[in-house]
Amino acid sequence: MATDQAQSESQGTDTYDEFEQRVERITNVGNAAGILQWDQEVMMPEGGTPARAKQLSTLSSISHELLTDEETGDLLTELEGQDLEEDQQAVVREVRRRYDRSTKVPEELVAEISETTSNAHPTWVEAKEEDDFSIFAPTLETLVELKREYAEHIDPDEDPYAVLFADYEPYIDIETAERILERLREELVPLIEAIDGSDAELETDAFSGEFDDETQEELARDVLDTLGYDWNRGRLDTAPHPFSSGTQFDARVTTRFDESDLLGSITSTIHEFGHANYTIGLPDEGYGTPLGEARDLTVHESQSRLWENHVGRSQAFWERFLPAVQERFPALEDVTPRDAYEAANQVYDDNLIRVEADELTYHLHIVIRFEVERDLIRGDLAVEDVPETWNDKYEEYLGVRPDTDAAGCLQDIHWSHGSFGYFPTYSLGSVLAAQLYAAAEDELGDIDEHTREGEFDDLNGWLRENIHTHGKRYTTPELIERATGEAYTADYFLEYATNKYGELYDLEGY
């Protein structure tokens, strides 16, 4: 009996080892593609596009074939019948989910979606340049139909938008997302209206002037040094649209510089630091498997928003970092930390463009996109009615109405990529950031005091222990509850927002 048991355990170990090697190959192919994509955004000469497209297509095909191969399915089935360790169970769970979704969608449909999105980008560009939604409308109609078909293959009995949302956030259900976003809409709209009626005069021009790119880059390196970026595993470059990418061994940051927007480059750099810091904090020993990968977009966005908003937009941060800014740009020598704090947290009167929005009104941009794309996918909104519906919602939620399609429903690129379900994770991540920050402060004490001293090891250590080191070991709700002791909630974000902006704008009742 003992011999049979030992033999069975040995076979189980061999099967898992074979499975893990296969998963690592899939992961490495994807990570190689990620480096090529980073290079395309940052360093590749313009003429390199035709070859790069073929290279990325080939790597994508290899990864897809390895994942959906019958052998992968056989290994998963065999392992699911065995008594695995907790970490092994997590790896099997995550790969099983990817395998099932990938094998349910016909390759012909995947190819059609890929081809349609490739052709959609120039059509969207033309429509935006011509300020004419009708140019893009037929393509959007096709993409909506294709993504509905995609969702039906994965789960014909599920709400199609919920299926698409799960591509980006698999473990927060759509009902929770809707509840969170509806609450943001209900409570932020009156707060923003109160701010609009406030007589408070903030120092909004603290960072006005012209700031050369070279010195801004030096300052971006200063802020990364201040926060504790690991240069041994990362680098800073510029890109048209800031992003971070990589693995725990190589997590790169990009930012951009505008000579008239110094504050924008600082906050963008801090935001991308949050993403890269999470990536670097993933366990080295988990590399190649889900245990060494970030826990999806809501958690990833929580890390960038926590550092950008709760740290980088705090008055304590400006008390610490303003002298470095003034050393690089002596023209700002008369700016006080309070001036910098107010400038970094002003709420703009004219909020048409999402990527230019302030911290508070940004979430209503997300709510609008969520409501529009959800209704499109569910069949409750016709494509031809998108511009008017979009404009009506902007007027209702933000008090402004776009005069053009380019400044309205054509401003974002996401739908031309077929990325329906992506937008909500921006706000869901911000909500989680506030909950995590509050939990960290309960344990560490006043984090502002640490920030004033430039001491971020305790906060980062808390995030490492409670979020980063777990990779995908736990589902998102499990991870949140383990870290904070509570279920996912918007309470902390709304308390943070009302307290912060109530004080800034001297609002009664807030």
Side-chain angles (χ1 to χ4, degrees):
M1 180 72 70
T3 302
D4 290 343
Q5 182 178 355
Q7 185 176 12
S8 176
E9 290 176 355
S10 175
Q11 289 173 343
T13 301
D14 291 345
T15 301
Y16 185 81
D17 289 345
E18 181 183 353
F19 171 73
E20 189 173 79
Q21 289 170 12
R22 190 173 188 84
V23 172
E24 288 178 355
R25 288 184 67 198
I26 296 169
T27 302
N28 283 325
V29 170
N31 288 341
I35 290 295
L36 290 181
Q37 290 168 336
W38 173 88
D39 177 75
Q40 185 172 15
E41 291 284 336
V42 176
M43 301 185 72
M44 189 188 77
E46 291 183 11
T49 300
R52 185 54 48 84
K54 292 181 183 296
Q55 293 158 5
L56 288 170
S57 177
T58 298
L59 290 175
S60 178
S61 296
I62 293 171
S63 179
H64 181 76
E65 289 166 6
L66 284 169
L67 176 62
T68 60
D69 188 271
E70 186 176 337
E71 184 177 345
T72 304
D74 291 342
L75 287 168
L76 284 166
T77 301
E78 185 174 350
L79 287 169
E80 286 165 341
Q82 296 181 3
D83 184 18
L84 301 176
E85 297 176 4
E86 182 182 2
D87 283 357
Q88 293 174 336
Q89 292 175 16
V91 172
V92 170
R93 179 195 68 220
E94 295 298 320
V95 177
R96 165 60 79 182
R97 182 184 174 280
R98 288 180 59 197
Y99 174 83
D100 285 348
R101 289 176 77 88
S102 297
T103 54
K104 287 178 179 178
V105 182
E107 289 188 19
E108 307 81 52
L109 179 58
V110 173
E112 186 176 2
I113 291 173
S114 177
E115 182 178 354
T116 303
T117 55
S118 294
N119 294 326
H121 180 260
T123 305
W124 169 76
V125 170
E126 179 187 359
K128 188 174 182 182
E129 289 176 348
E130 296 294 326
D131 185 26
D132 185 355
F133 178 76
S134 68
I135 295 173
F136 183 58
T139 298
L140 180 59
E141 183 81 57
T142 300
L143 284 169
V144 168
E145 292 173 359
L146 289 172
K147 296 301 279 190
R148 283 179 187 154
E149 184 180 350
Y150 167 92
E152 186 174 0
H153 279 290
I154 292 174
D155 191 342
D157 299 322
E158 179 62 274
D159 165 19
Y161 187 74
V163 176
L164 300 182
F165 172 67
D167 274 345
Y168 307 103
E169 184 45 71
Y171 294 111
I172 294 178
D173 59 60
I174 193 64
E175 292 78 16
T176 298
E178 287 184 310
R179 185 171 64 251
I180 293 282
L181 293 168
E182 287 171 4
R183 190 171 173 203
L184 294 186
R185 182 191 65 204
E186 291 168 0
E187 300 196 28
L188 292 185
V189 168
L191 175 59
I192 292 166
E193 289 175 349
I195 289 170
D196 287 343
S198 170
D199 294 327
E201 295 185 5
L202 273 63
E203 182 53 67
T204 58
D205 297 324
F207 293 98
S208 62
E210 294 292 321
F211 308 94
D212 68 276
D213 288 0
E214 184 177 343
T215 311
Q216 282 198 62
E217 181 171 349
E218 293 170 354
L219 186 61
R221 293 181 181 278
D222 290 340
V223 76
L224 291 172
D225 283 337
T226 297
L227 297 175
Y229 185 50
D230 185 351
W231 292 102
N232 188 50
R233 298 193 181 203
R235 54 181 290 135
L236 172 68
D237 296 275
T238 58
H241 303 285
F243 69 98
S244 71
S245 66
T247 71
Q248 52 268 66
F249 297 102
D250 179 1
R252 307 179 185 193
V253 167
T254 68
T255 191
R256 64 182 171 194
F257 305 115
D258 179 337
E259 291 193 348
S260 63
D261 185 16
L262 176 62
L263 185 59
S265 73
I266 294 173
T267 55
S268 171
T269 301
I270 297 173
H271 180 98
E272 299 307 333
F273 162 82
H275 282 303
N277 186 57
Y278 178 19
T279 302
I280 290 171
L282 295 167
D284 290 357
E285 64 275 12
Y287 175 79
T289 77
L291 296 177
E293 296 172 354
R295 177 70 286 168
D296 305 309
L297 293 186
T298 295
V299 176
H300 227 313
E301 192 67 15
S302 77
Q303 302 305 286
S304 60
R305 292 293 181 179
L306 186 151
W307 286 99
E308 177 192 355
N309 295 331
H310 294 267
V311 175
R313 293 185 193 273
S314 68
Q315 183 162 328
F317 175 79
W318 288 104
E319 289 172 16
R320 177 67 187 184
F321 192 65
L322 185 59
V325 178
Q326 292 167 328
E327 182 178 349
R328 296 292 185 188
F329 295 104
L332 299 176
E333 62 181 355
D334 293 332
V335 175
T336 68
R338 180 68 186 188
D339 294 339
Y341 171 66
E342 292 181 0
N345 291 285
Q346 62 183 294
V347 176
Y348 303 122
D349 295 330
D350 188 3
N351 277 283
L352 287 174
I353 308 300
R354 176 183 65 88
V355 296
E356 298 173 2
D358 55 82
E359 178 194 7
L360 191 62
T361 59
Y362 179 86
H363 298 288
L364 296 180
H365 291 262
I366 298 304
V367 168
I368 289 167
R369 285 152 179 76
F370 163 70
E371 293 179 350
V372 170
E373 69 176 19
R374 176 195 60 189
D375 292 349
L376 270 175
I377 295 297
R378 288 178 175 173
D380 297 330
L381 175 66
V383 167
E384 63 187 19
D385 295 329
V386 166
E388 184 176 3
T389 299
W390 180 286
N391 294 346
D392 288 347
K393 288 181 181 292
Y394 262 78
E395 190 165 22
E396 180 183 358
Y397 300 168
L398 286 164
V400 293
R401 190 175 186 88
D403 293 327
T404 66
D405 291 340
C409 61
L410 288 174
Q411 65 179 268
D412 293 302
I413 198 173
H414 297 59
W415 291 343
S416 72
H417 290 163
S419 299
F420 300 98
Y422 188 105
F423 279 119
T425 63
Y426 288 125
S427 286
L428 296 177
S430 294
V431 166
L432 179 55
Q435 186 173 349
L436 292 174
Y437 192 84
E441 200 156 51
D442 281 346
E443 186 171 327
L444 302 175
D446 186 1
I447 295 176
D448 276 351
E449 289 301 319
H450 297 257
T451 300
R452 287 188 184 93
E453 298 299 319
E455 296 292 340
F456 299 104
D457 286 350
D458 286 350
L459 174 58
N460 204 32
W462 190 91
L463 293 170
R464 289 276 192 268
E465 178 182 351
N466 290 281
I467 302 295
H468 305 174
T469 193
H470 297 301
K472 290 184 174 179
R473 178 178 289 108
Y474 305 113
T475 66
T476 307
E478 290 171 341
L479 183 66
I480 294 170
E481 189 141 5
R482 289 177 66 91
T484 69
E486 298 179 84
Y488 183 43
T489 175
D491 290 350
Y492 294 96
F493 173 79
L494 290 166
E495 180 181 5
Y496 157 78
T498 54
N499 288 344
K500 178 178 182 177
Y501 290 95
E503 187 275 330
L504 271 167
Y505 283 90
D506 195 22
L507 303 178
E508 293 186 9
Y510 285 96

